[in-house]
Structures are given as C-alpha cells and as structure tokens.
Amino acid sequence: MAHLLMIESWVGGTGRIFPQTIAGAGHQYTFVTRNRAHYSDGPDAPAHPVLAHAANVLVTETNDVAALTAFLRAQHRLLRFDGVVTICDYYIDTVAQVARALELPQAYPDNVAAVRRKHLVRAALERAGLPNPAYRVVDSWPAAREAATQIGYPLVLKPSDLASSAFVRLVHDEAGLHAAFAALEAFPVNFREQAREPMWLLEEYMTGEEISVEACTHGGVTTIVGITDKSVTGQPYFIEDGHMFPARLDEDVAAAARALVTAALQAVGFDHGISHTEVKLTPRGPRIVEINPRPGGNYIAELIERVTGIGFLAAQVDLALGRRPDLTPRDTGVRSAAIRFLVPPRAGRLQAMTGQEQAAAAPHVVRASFGAWDGRELPAPVDNACYLGHVIAVDPLGLDARAHADAALAQVRLRYAEQAGPVADAPADVAALLAAVQDGAFGADPATLHVTGAAWIAQSTRFPGTAQTYRNYYLLLRVGAAFGACCVEAADLDADIAPALAGATVATLLRDDRLPVRIAALDAYLNAVAPQREAADAQVLMLPAGAPPLRAMARDQAIASLVPIAPGQRVGLIGVVNPLVEAIERQGGICLPCDFNMTRTQGGLEVVRDMGPVLEQADIVIATGMTLSNGSFDTILAAARRRAIPLIVFAQTGSGIVPRFLGHGVTAVCAEPFPFSQFSAEPTPVFLHRRNAA
C-alpha cells in the first residue's frame, strides 16, 4: 500500500471519484488544503469524498509554495509519502514544485507550468510548424484592440491561466471585445485566490465540431486511449453540457486528430502524464484548442472506463507513484457512454426542481446526480461551474448513449420563484417540449384552453421582376388573443380540416395523430401563455409599412445580422428565401441552399433537397420554422448541438416553439407571430432573440 500526498482537489466532477480510485487501489492519501470548508456540501450533507476517504487532512496555506514546501517536508519525515498528486488545475504547478523539492514522483511533465499556459502552447505549436489559428497575446486594452484588427472578427478572447471555460468569450465586434476584456481585467485572482497573469489571449474563431483526445504518456511514449465528443450550450460562452465516449467520427477524421495531438504533445515537451487535449475539427482540418495535463474533467474518465475497462484515474495514481500504468482495454459490454449536465437557463431564485427520479430511472441510465438547489439563488450560467446535476447513460450496442442521456435529462424541470408555473429546462426535442406542456410545466392547463378559430390558408407570392413563385400552405389556430401556425406541404392535410378543429381543447389537439396539428396547437398554446411581446430577452423590430418585397428585405436583413457571418463562412440555408440568400452573400458568406420545392435560387445557386451534407459542411445554419412540420427541425437541432455551430431560426410558423430551444442548440431566433409580413401592409413586429448561452 502506497501513501500519496494530495494537494487540493476539484470539488465536483473528477474530484468526487478520484478519492475512491485511490482507496480502491489499496492506497491511502493525506489531503492538504488551505480551506477545509471549501469542500463542504452543506451542514446536513455527508462529508465530501476527498475528506471522507483521506487518512489525514492537513490545513495550511497552499498558495505559498515556499511555505507549503517547508511544511510538507516536515510532514514527509513523519508520514513518509510515496508520490504527490492533485486533480485540480490550479495546483498542478504546485505539485510539480513540491515533488521536486521532496524528491518524490508525480504525474506531470517537468515543464508542466508551460503546458498549462495557453499562450505558451500556441507559441510551441508555431515553432513546431503545426497548424495554429491566428493569435495574439496582449497586456493592455490598446494592444487588444490592435490585435483584434489584425486577427479579424469574430474572435475568441480567453485567459491564459484559467480552467473550466471561465472567461472564454466569443466576440463579434469592438464593443463585445471591450466588455470581455474588462470582465477579465476585473478578475485579478483566480477561483482559488491565486494571483493571475495580467494577459489576454486573442485567437481566431475556429468553426467546427469540438472533441477531446485522451492520452497517456509514459517514458516519452504516448498512447491514445480514445476520443470524446463535446456539446456546448451556445455562444458567447462555451459551457460544456455533454460528452460521449467514443466520439462518432469517420476514421480518417479520427486518425488526423490523433496524429495532430501526438505531434502537439511532442512539440510542448509533454513526456510524462495523462493529457486531455481539446481539438476543433475545422473545415481546414483539426486544430488544437488547448492541452490539459491531467485527465479530462466532467467525469470523462468514468465514461472511458465504462467503455474500455481502462481505469484512467487509476493510471493517474500509478504515474504519481512512478509506475507504468495498465492501459490494456477489455470488453465491458458497453459500446458508448455519455453524460449530460443540467445547465440552468438563467439566473434567478429556484423554487423547485422536479423529475430527478424519472431521469435516474430512465432506460440506459447507469448513474444520476442532482444537487439540492431548491430555494437557492442561481447565478447566471457563464462557465462549467453552473451545473445543477447530471445523468450518465450507456449503449451496449452502438453510439446512441448521448441520445439516451438527452432523453433522460429532458425529464427534469426547473421552476423559478418569480414564475407562475414551472418551465421545462433544455428540452431534448419538440416531443419533449410537447410533453412538458402536457405535464403542466408552463402553468396553464391545456385542457382549459380552447381553439376559438381555425383556418387552412393556401397562399402564393411572386415578387415583381422575378421568376420564383412561393407556394405556402398554413394551418392556423387561434387560442385567446394568440395564434399558432404550421406550414405544410399541400398534400399533408385536407383543405377542409378547419371546421373539425375549431372548438377543440388544446389538450385534445396536442394528442392528435397528425404532426402539423400538434405543432400548430403547441405554437398557439405557447404564444398564448407566454406572448412574444412579454419576452424580456427579445428585441422588437417593426417591419416597415409597404409592399411585400420591402418588408421581406427588412426581415431577412435582420435574420442575417443575428449572428455575424465572416467572409468565406459557409451558411446552410434550410428553407430558401431569395432575399435571405442575398443578405447572406452581402456579408461575404457562402450560401448552401436546401429546399424541397426549389431547384435554383434567383441568383442561380443550385438548391439541394438533402439537408444532411449541408448540416455537416456548414459553419452556420439558418433554418425556417417550417421544418417543424415534418420533424426535420429535431435533426437540424441535433446537428447544431453535436457540431457546436450557430443555429439561427426564422420562425413565422413555430414562433412560440423555437425560442424554447434558445441556448440549447438554437443560437438566435427571428420570431414573427401571425399576422405574417406577407399578410399585412401595415407595420408589424418581429422579435429577435439572442440568448446564446443556456
């Protein structure tokens, strides 16, 4: 049995399972902290695992390395440590220095201080001739402004020395840059009260799916254990809300990522330890985001072990003791494992969380954990420290563990104190949102609301001087003062459907066998109980009075401006509107049009029917709310979440539905409730939403 010296720990995630890993291997550890109360889950909660499993708990100042080393030298003479370890990024440098002073093994490369600093990693990659985004390191606002001019917008501003995606911001213009710069400037010490480096790293924004490559290096030889996928809530923050191991990737893409990471580790001198390297799969190939000299957080080590049988945290223990880790995979009967985190949609006092038991009991779920948050004030969700809980699901047959985890987490509901009723949090898809309404998650009982009017509308539009005729067919339902709509193909519903729907309760129509009827009823219900005009986060844009071309142009320019399009970016347009194609091209974007009922745009671009390739190639997706009518909205939403790309939706039909996915796959929405611009010549409102993070 060995005796490890552990200096501080993460409170959540890996920090909760690492102590049991040490004890399970037959070892013991002495835990050293500057603040024992930091690891308290509350007065009535059990002791935190890092305290519960420790053989000894020593309290001393861990941010003064010289004093800490002297203290631990004396403790070493009494307790005889065999290695030094931490699971917290902010104390990796400290562990390396203490281990050298006490002549003990540890689990990090000798130059770990350089590996942890993002700007030094960028410089090392550049020296090695490896692909790198454009970047600049600055120490003042004038330098940041000049660097942004050189790099170009959009860009990412980040600290060089923080973790958990803290203060990482996507900025689109100088105003956004200044806000992000000032926020980080006002944070001179990190979350463990250590002085920060007063510098800012500005990087070219890289589009594409983000993954992480998990590796172990011993004796200078690196073994790639696998690749994990990642989903994020949306811009401008980069909150990780889920992972799956292994990632669903083509082998040529995976091989390129593995080769790049192996070369990058060599470039930075990473010769000993476990690494968690984040990679963007850009249109130009894989690019390094950052290298973390420790196991991936967010329970990624647990996902790896459930699939491969490799104890990645046990390997961390072996490395800290100077031993060769066992990386031999074995058949566990699991082909994929995924975790999904519950991210609050906003700040506010939480009155109640419900559905945890249903999530834990959902099919394929192997573990679920939710904190006691009822009655507490939740801060705004800006980084990975905002999680309220999580579920882990597995798939014994293939790569659907993430879908199982998504479905389980969709059972959980949050109700804020200032709300009349609960609000469904992070619906997995439209069906989950519909189920939440049926369960009363939005207050008003659908059985008490009636459809007082129903209409079937066949409408055609052709602008002067053009050859394109737009033919649209709408099912329109009125509930109180609100309308709901679904746009369908001509053959999807009978033209005489309206009389049979008028007078029905919303609850009845939410159970209708026909998807367009359910969508129109859901849209009407949500617009009735939460009108767009009352949405606190909506910007109201009044379309000018006038002819349809003028009004359409104003609306489509607003849609295209919801997320800035960089020159050369590929914009998937699902549901083609010619003025919107022109608006995309005016910003320098490359339009990838997709539509069932068009073969070419007015400008001559070929229009494809299959949106699959478009969703995989696009850097940004703009989609119409019409995609709700045939279920393709869910496919688009899933692709945007998986690839972590912006999704903008222009919703006439579905104007009440689509905003419910803001920050959970949808980046921005142009919501236009009935009467639509083509049905009126008077000024009418559209509502622009940009709630980019959940």
Side-chain angles (χ1 to χ4, degrees):
M1 179 178 69
H3 188 178
L4 278 166
L5 170 62
M6 187 192 305
I7 302 176
E8 301 289 5
S9 172
W10 285 123
V11 175
T14 309
R16 292 190 174 272
I17 59 178
F18 190 52
Q20 179 59 50
T21 299
I22 298 173
H27 307 312
Q28 64 177 355
Y29 65 91
T30 290
F31 182 61
V32 183
T33 178
R34 65 193 298 267
N35 181 9
R36 183 179 180 129
H38 187 75
Y39 301 92
S40 171
D41 290 331
D44 300 323
H48 189 283
V50 78
L51 301 176
H53 290 282
N56 309 287
V57 177
L58 306 178
V59 178
T60 191
E61 179 56 69
T62 54
N63 287 345
D64 184 335
V65 177
L68 175 65
T69 300
F71 172 78
L72 292 177
R73 196 185 302 277
Q75 296 298 321
H76 182 38
R77 287 194 292 267
L78 296 172
L79 300 173
R80 306 308 304 168
F81 305 123
D82 298 301
V84 193
V85 74
T86 188
I87 209 69
C88 177
D89 291 49
Y90 298 120
Y91 291 92
I92 289 176
D93 300 0
T94 301
V95 163
Q97 294 179 61
V98 169
R100 280 194 294 270
L102 301 186
E103 298 181 341
L104 291 171
Q106 45 97 7
Y108 311 102
D110 288 337
N111 67 335
V112 70
V115 176
R116 276 208 65 245
R117 282 153 180 80
K118 299 175 180 66
H119 67 293
L120 298 181
V121 170
R122 287 277 174 240
L125 297 178
E126 193 169 54
R127 289 193 300 271
L130 294 175
N132 225 6
Y135 75 96
R136 298 289 187 278
V137 184
V138 302
D139 59 4
S140 68
W141 166 243
R145 186 168 51 188
E146 175 61 24
T149 301
Q150 296 169 355
I151 295 171
Y153 294 102
L155 57 81
V156 174
L157 179 145
K158 62 175 68 172
S160 178
D161 57 352
L162 294 181
S164 303
S165 301
F167 290 91
V168 178
R169 301 289 187 271
L170 175 65
V171 296
H172 295 282
D173 50 34
E174 186 171 310
L177 178 66
H178 187 268
F181 183 96
L184 185 54
E185 186 176 38
F187 195 70
V189 297
N190 66 24
F191 300 98
R192 295 303 180 96
E193 300 180 355
Q194 299 166 332
R196 288 195 51 256
E197 295 177 286
M199 62 174 54
W200 292 255
L201 177 60
L202 278 63
E203 296 180 349
E204 169 192 356
Y205 176 55
M206 298 182 287
T207 60
E209 180 181 357
E210 187 168 336
I211 59 172
S212 61
V213 178
E214 323 304 338
C216 180
T217 304
H218 182 266
V221 178
T222 295
T223 300
I224 304 292
V225 172
I227 299 177
T228 310
D229 79 5
K230 174 193 295 188
S231 58
V232 295
T233 55
Q235 306 163 1
Y237 307 112
F238 294 84
I239 305 172
E240 300 170 10
D241 69 353
H243 303 279
M244 184 175 78
F245 182 92
R248 189 192 298 267
L249 297 174
D250 292 338
E251 178 51 32
D252 59 337
V253 175
R258 290 192 294 263
L260 175 63
V261 168
T262 300
L265 292 174
Q266 292 174 345
V268 300
F270 197 102
D271 58 1
H272 179 74
I274 288 176
S275 55
H276 167 74
T277 305
E278 297 171 357
V279 175
K280 266 292 183 79
L281 302 177
T282 78
R284 295 177 293 170
R287 298 289 187 270
I288 300 295
V289 176
E290 63 185 44
I291 298 173
N292 298 283
R294 41 87 178 158
N298 281 354
Y299 299 101
I300 288 176
E302 179 178 345
L303 305 184
I304 293 171
E305 187 165 3
R306 287 186 180 277
V307 175
T308 69
I310 297 172
F312 223 39
L313 293 181
Q316 178 85 345
V317 172
D318 287 337
L319 290 167
L321 294 172
R323 303 172 180 176
R324 178 184 294 275
D326 181 8
L327 301 177
T328 306
R330 59 181 176 84
D331 187 358
T332 64
V334 172
R335 295 295 171 262
S336 64
I339 186 166
R340 279 283 278 111
F341 294 96
L342 179 57
V343 175
R346 59 181 176 84
R349 182 171 295 279
L350 185 66
Q351 181 171 320
M353 178 192 300
T354 60
Q356 302 96 306
E357 296 80 7
Q358 293 91 327
H364 301 281
V365 170
V366 293
R367 190 168 68 76
S369 176
F370 297 94
W373 297 100
D374 290 3
R376 294 173 62 176
E377 192 73 29
L378 303 181
V382 297
D383 57 34
N384 292 354
C386 70
Y387 301 146
L388 306 182
H390 64 265
V391 297
I392 292 179
V394 300
D395 182 1
L397 301 178
L399 299 177
D400 287 327
R402 176 182 281 278
H404 299 320
D406 287 346
L409 194 65
Q411 304 296 315
V412 181
R413 309 277 190 264
L414 301 180
R415 183 170 70 247
Y416 285 83
E418 64 271 26
Q419 294 172 193
V423 170
D425 178 57
D429 51 27
V430 174
L433 178 60
L434 190 148
V437 168
Q438 291 173 316
D439 290 344
F442 289 81
D445 184 352
T448 66
L449 300 178
H450 289 75
V451 173
T452 56
W456 168 259
I457 301 174
Q459 178 256 343
S460 297
T461 299
R462 183 169 176 175
F463 295 149
T466 69
Q468 178 66 46
T469 299
Y470 300 95
R471 294 179 175 86
N472 295 317
Y473 304 89
Y474 301 93
L475 174 62
L476 193 69
L477 302 178
R478 181 166 189 166
V479 175
F483 290 87
C486 185
C487 187
V488 300
E489 297 298 313
D492 286 351
L493 294 174
D494 294 333
D496 58 356
I497 188 176
L501 303 181
T505 68
V506 172
T508 298
L509 299 189
L510 291 177
R511 297 191 299 269
D512 194 281
D513 291 337
R514 295 159 293 188
L515 177 61
V517 175
R518 298 197 300 273
I519 292 297
L522 178 63
D523 194 38
Y525 173 89
L526 291 171
N527 278 328
V529 301
Q532 289 288 324
R533 63 181 178 275
E534 296 178 9
D537 62 342
Q539 173 190 350
V540 181
L541 171 68
M542 295 301 295
L543 298 182
L550 174 66
R551 290 163 58 76
M553 183 175 297
R555 181 198 63 206
D556 294 340
Q557 287 177 341
I559 294 168
S561 68
L562 280 169
V563 173
I565 300 168
Q569 279 194 310
R570 293 170 296 186
V571 182
L573 180 59
I574 313 297
V576 173
V577 180
N578 280 307
L580 187 50
V581 175
E582 296 167 3
I584 292 168
E585 292 178 337
R586 277 195 298 272
Q587 293 195 44
I590 300 171
C591 188
L592 307 178
C594 176
D595 198 292
F596 280 153
N597 299 312
M598 192 181 299
T599 58
R600 288 195 177 274
T601 68
Q602 185 174 315
L605 292 177
E606 180 182 1
V607 179
V608 301
R609 288 178 60 87
D610 183 3
M611 69 179 179
V614 172
L615 294 176
E616 294 306 314
Q617 296 168 14
D619 302 312
I620 299 171
V621 172
I622 301 178
T624 171
M626 296 178 184
T627 55
L628 289 161
S629 68
N630 60 10
S632 58
F633 175 82
D634 288 340
T635 302
I636 298 167
L637 181 70
R641 287 170 169 168
R642 174 174 55 82
R643 296 188 58 220
I645 59 174
L647 170 59
I648 304 98
V649 182
F650 56 106
Q652 291 184 327
T653 62
S655 62
I657 296 172
V658 177
R660 303 299 162 183
F661 296 89
L662 278 163
H664 299 288
V666 174
T667 307
V669 178
C670 176
E672 186 181 357
F674 190 85
F676 309 145
S677 61
Q678 61 267 39
F679 292 141
S680 175
E682 298 302 315
T684 53
V686 297
F687 300 87
L688 307 178
H689 302 260
R690 293 184 181 87
R691 195 189 315 154
N692 296 325

